[in-house]
Amino acid sequence: AKERGGAITVEFDDSMRDTFRFRHELEQELREAIRTRQFVLNFQPIVEAADPNVIVGFEALVRWKHPQRGLIHPAEFIPTAESCGLILYLGDWVLEEACSAISRLNARGGRWADRYVAVNVAARQFLSASFSARVGELIMRKGIDPKNLRLEVTEGAAITDARRTREVLEQIRRWGVKTSLDDFGTGYSSLSYLQQLPFDTLKIDKSFVANAGETRSAQIVRTIVELARSLDLSVVAEGIENASQGKRLASLGCDYLQGYHYGHPLTESEAFARL
Ligand code: C2E
Ligand code: CA
Ligand code: CA
Ligand code: CA
């Protein structure tokens, strides 16, 4: 798209035409994949910063088991699912499947009881009219303890409609389910904005973790942790890839850590085995 004197003209070239065709095909395939349930959840451990041997929960991450193309990661289909609205169906499947996993974990008893599964919720899904009712319905139908479920919403999602976000967060809190503000630091949240939204946890985006050796990034992390403390939020640092990053983020005051260093996203049975 080019801007010319206020008007916007769109010029199609071959690569754009291919992109559109590709997107259309992807959309058709996604529709079919949702209908025939070609998705699986992986579970990545989240550990205590003070003792990384202690797993406090898992983040559920969706993967597409494509019959021809093999395992496809969310970056390749979530954006399209979001723009065409299929994310509502996919996200609902993810939520239900995560609740099923929680009830399977609960059936194992023992060390599972206090752990949680954190589910990513897209903006459109979170802000849709039936979302909090659906959460309540699933908790009851699957017979799960709400403390075993968490919901992650990205900063971008929360900012599009603060009033509505607050409303949904309050409804979810009434079910006893905690919420995390995901990818924190990548959007435009201000302190006063965050104060209005009853999240329980901030997840610091991995871009700050990667650079936490640099003074500037370290200072940003310190500021985020202080902000979280003042609002009584816990802090998860994600994208920890080595021991020194883990030590650094722990010393900067993060409560929980997540990243390849502590565990890659695992299948459900591998995740069980870690507990
Ligand atoms: P996210 O919510 O920020 O999830 C964390 C991503 O970072 C995951 O990528 C995870 O595999 C990756 N990761 C974990 N540890 C490390 C590390 O140490 N280093 C690096 N470089 N990366 C690490 P994944 O699974 O590819 O998911 C990408 C994004 O797709 C997620 O980012 C989330 O925004 C979205 N997504 C995943 N599953 C769902 C879902 O069920 N629903 C929705 N709406 N979005 C999802
Ligand atoms: Ca997340
Ligand atoms: Ca994140
Ligand atoms: Ca992200």
Side-chain angles (χ1 to χ4, degrees):
K2 279 184 192 162
E3 239 177 311
R4 281 196 198 118
I8 292 173
T9 59
V10 180
E11 291 164 3
F12 290 93
D13 60 22
D14 284 347
S15 79
M16 277 177 84
R17 220 169 262 126
D18 285 348
T19 304
F20 283 122
R21 187 179 307 130
F22 173 74
R23 278 184 58 103
H24 182 71
E25 275 168 21
L26 181 59
E27 199 180 311
Q28 295 309 316
E29 286 195 47
L30 263 176
R31 209 175 291 280
E32 177 66 9
I34 291 166
R35 202 178 62 77
T36 58
R37 307 187 177 239
Q38 295 172 13
F39 299 94
V40 287
L41 294 184
N42 279 0
F43 298 87
Q44 185 178 34
I46 300 168
V47 303
E48 250 172 40
D51 181 0
N53 292 315
V54 178
I55 295 174
V56 294
F58 295 93
E59 177 172 2
L61 296 159
V62 71
R63 272 94 182 89
W64 180 1
K65 277 168 103 175
H66 193 284
Q68 283 88 42
R69 286 189 279 152
L71 209 63
I72 306 179
H73 283 253
E76 292 182 54
F77 60 90
I78 292 281
T80 299
E82 283 182 343
S83 64
C84 72
L86 286 171
I87 194 67
L88 291 176
Y89 301 95
L90 177 57
D92 194 62
W93 178 85
V94 168
L95 184 63
E96 176 158 4
E97 182 57 20
C99 290
S100 301
I102 291 169
S103 62
R104 286 190 289 271
L105 282 161
N106 272 335
R108 300 203 166 198
R111 299 175 65 190
W112 168 251
D114 298 322
R115 272 70 173 189
Y116 61 82
V117 171
V119 177
N120 291 287
V121 182
R124 281 175 84 153
Q125 185 186 4
F126 185 79
L127 298 172
S128 70
S130 58
F131 183 68
S132 67
R134 177 69 171 146
V135 171
E137 188 246 331
L138 280 172
I139 288 170
M140 283 184 277
R141 184 151 59 79
K142 304 280 179 185
I144 62 176
D145 188 327
K147 73 167 187 271
N148 294 140
L149 174 65
R150 274 193 182 235
L151 300 174
E152 298 192 0
V153 188
T154 61
E155 196 182 2
I159 214 152
T160 56
D161 186 346
R163 208 178 57 84
R164 173 79 186 131
T165 299
R166 188 198 163 107
E167 210 171 77
V168 180
L169 286 172
E170 281 168 354
Q171 290 164 346
I172 286 167
R173 178 166 276 193
R174 264 181 247 131
W175 295 122
V177 174
K178 289 189 173 170
T179 53
S180 305
L181 185 54
D182 201 1
D183 298 352
F184 190 74
T186 60
Y188 305 93
S189 302
S190 66
L191 203 154
S192 66
Y193 171 78
L194 202 59
Q195 222 159 9
Q196 299 168 37
L197 299 177
F199 285 101
D200 300 284
T201 300
L202 289 187
K203 294 191 81 169
I204 299 183
D205 193 68
K206 49 180 168 284
S207 56
F208 300 109
V209 170
N211 303 320
E214 295 163 20
T215 326
R216 240 180 98 78
S217 287
Q219 196 50 48
I220 291 171
V221 172
R222 247 182 236 113
T223 307
I224 293 174
V225 171
E226 258 171 52
L227 167 66
R229 289 279 167 280
S230 72
L231 296 172
D232 203 22
L233 304 171
S234 61
V235 180
V236 179
E238 54 182 354
I240 311 275
E241 293 183 350
N242 55 58
S244 74
Q245 285 176 347
K247 279 200 187 113
R248 194 170 292 131
L249 274 293
S251 74
L252 288 169
C254 298
D255 304 292
Y256 306 103
L257 306 172
Q258 179 182 355
Y260 298 154
H261 181 60
Y262 305 104
H264 282 259
L266 308 164
T267 65
E268 185 177 315
S269 58
E270 287 167 340
F272 280 140
R274 288 289 188 96
L275 287 175

